[in-house]
Amino acid sequence: MAYDPGAIDATLAAALGEDSALIAEVRLAFVDSAARTCAQLKSAPDAAAWRAAALRLKGLAASFGAVRLMEIAARAAQHPAGDAQMVARIERAIARL
């Protein structure tokens, strides 16, 4: 699935209108939340906490139209806790937001 950098902006514009300052503020809040959830994933003490954080990130990404991040988070939920490669993929996806 390809990364669509305009999907988040389109989702936000549809929800918030054309107020670019508000869109930027909500986008920043989304990226911050995604980063915090990724940190929770990285520090998950067990498989249940790992899966919960991955699914939380998937839902967050879906809410904002971040399809690539959503896809990676869904995969992470199926991987063993502490999978460094999945964490790195998620971090890269967040950095691209």
Side-chain angles (χ1 to χ4, degrees):
M1 192 170 285
Y3 173 67
D4 180 4
I8 295 170
D9 290 332
T11 300
L12 291 174
L16 303 172
E18 296 300 320
D19 184 341
S20 60
L22 181 58
I23 289 172
E25 184 178 334
V26 173
R27 184 190 234 309
L28 180 61
F30 162 59
V31 173
D32 287 344
S33 184
R36 282 192 311 275
T37 305
C38 182
Q40 291 171 349
L41 183 77
K42 286 171 70 170
S43 66
D46 56 37
W50 169 273
R51 180 171 166 75
L55 293 176
R56 193 167 32 257
L57 184 59
K58 176 186 172 192
L60 178 65
S63 296
F64 283 85
V67 177
R68 181 72 178 145
L69 179 58
M70 183 180 69
E71 176 187 79
I72 295 168
R75 284 191 206 153
Q78 304 303 316
H79 281 249
D83 186 320
Q85 288 182 335
M86 288 307 302
V87 170
R89 290 183 71 193
I90 289 169
E91 289 175 330
R92 284 191 303 271
I94 292 170
R96 290 184 183 125
L97 297 172

